[in-house]
Amino acid sequence: MSGTPEQTLYDRLVRRLQNRPIIAAGLILFAVLVGIGILTGSIQNIWLAFESSVLGRTPGLRAEYCDILRPLVLQLDRTKAAFNRWNGKDLSLESETIRDGNLKARALLEENGKLVPDALREDQKKLMLHYDRWLEEYDRVRVKRTSNPDQPFVFVYSFPSESEKRFRSRMAQIEAQLGSEARCK
């Protein structure tokens, strides 16, 4: 055995880094950044778990709110406002706003149907049936012109107001649960 103690890896690293302060500072900075990243990721995960389990703000609830309820109510508001302005044969209002809004609302209900809670399934069907009927009538009156093309309004008298109220009520319930987090990104 020789008289010099065996150096550990740590001792050799420290000796080499003492003569290279820029590399040492870079390694320390890297370690600090990785630590902060891990810590903030952990904090984010803890917060998400708290929101989900304690506050009930699950990703599914957010998806329901952002992917179907909020856009559907937007289209309902849009078409209702257009309907309230509709005071005679206005083909641009009818085709650009009401038809477009009805198409979008129907597509939301169909494409995001998996997000509709079971309690609103029947309302979903009623709204889709209404939109189907209205679009069919629009096609007969304005496109094919087979059913009185001079009528001032395309109207089918089947809008399910109670279904609309239940969707709006569900949205208000989720907004209350999400609180200030009721924002879609």
Side-chain angles (χ1 to χ4, degrees):
M1 296 195 108
S2 68
T4 61
E6 213 173 293
Q7 289 186 344
T8 63
L9 177 63
Y10 173 76
D11 293 331
R12 285 185 286 180
L13 256 173
V14 169
R15 193 169 35 100
R16 286 188 181 169
L17 289 177
Q18 284 176 342
N19 296 330
R20 295 177 180 91
I22 293 175
I23 294 174
L27 285 174
I28 291 170
L29 182 63
F30 177 75
V32 168
L33 290 175
V34 167
I36 290 172
I38 290 171
L39 180 64
T40 56
S42 297
I43 291 171
Q44 180 72 17
N45 290 341
I46 291 168
W47 176 249
L48 290 175
F50 173 77
E51 273 191 318
S52 182
S53 61
V54 176
L55 302 177
R57 298 176 184 168
T58 64
L61 191 69
R62 286 187 192 285
E64 179 186 348
Y65 178 76
C66 292
D67 295 342
I68 191 154
L69 293 175
R70 176 56 67 209
L72 178 64
V73 168
L74 175 74
Q75 294 306 323
L76 289 167
D77 289 345
R78 181 178 172 226
T79 54
K80 185 175 184 170
F83 181 78
N84 290 337
R85 291 191 324 263
W86 210 3
N87 59 6
K89 189 173 181 179
D90 185 345
L91 296 181
S92 65
L93 182 66
E94 187 177 66
S95 66
E96 294 301 318
T97 306
I98 295 175
R99 181 178 177 275
D100 181 64
N102 286 350
L103 282 169
K104 287 179 179 175
R106 192 195 184 294
L108 283 166
L109 289 165
E110 183 177 19
E111 294 166 8
N112 296 317
K114 63 187 178 296
L115 298 174
V116 175
D118 291 339
L120 294 176
R121 293 281 180 198
E122 195 60 36
D123 295 310
Q124 174 191 20
K125 290 176 190 173
K126 288 177 183 178
L127 281 167
M128 288 178 67
L129 181 60
H130 165 74
Y131 291 129
D132 285 343
R133 287 178 180 160
W134 190 91
L135 292 164
E136 290 164 5
E137 185 65 15
Y138 179 87
D139 189 55
R140 273 193 289 282
V141 173
R142 299 291 185 237
V143 179
K144 294 178 183 171
R145 304 176 75 74
T146 58
S147 175
N148 190 10
D150 293 326
Q151 71 185 34
F153 306 108
V154 172
F155 206 70
V156 291
Y157 304 99
S158 66
F159 186 76
S161 299
E162 290 303 312
S163 296
E164 175 192 13
K165 287 177 186 173
R166 283 188 279 277
F167 269 96
R168 288 180 183 277
S169 174
R170 175 66 178 165
M171 189 180 86
Q173 176 189 9
I174 291 176
E175 282 178 335
Q177 191 171 359
L178 293 176
S180 63
E181 300 295 317
R183 298 283 180 256
C184 300
K185 296 170 185 158

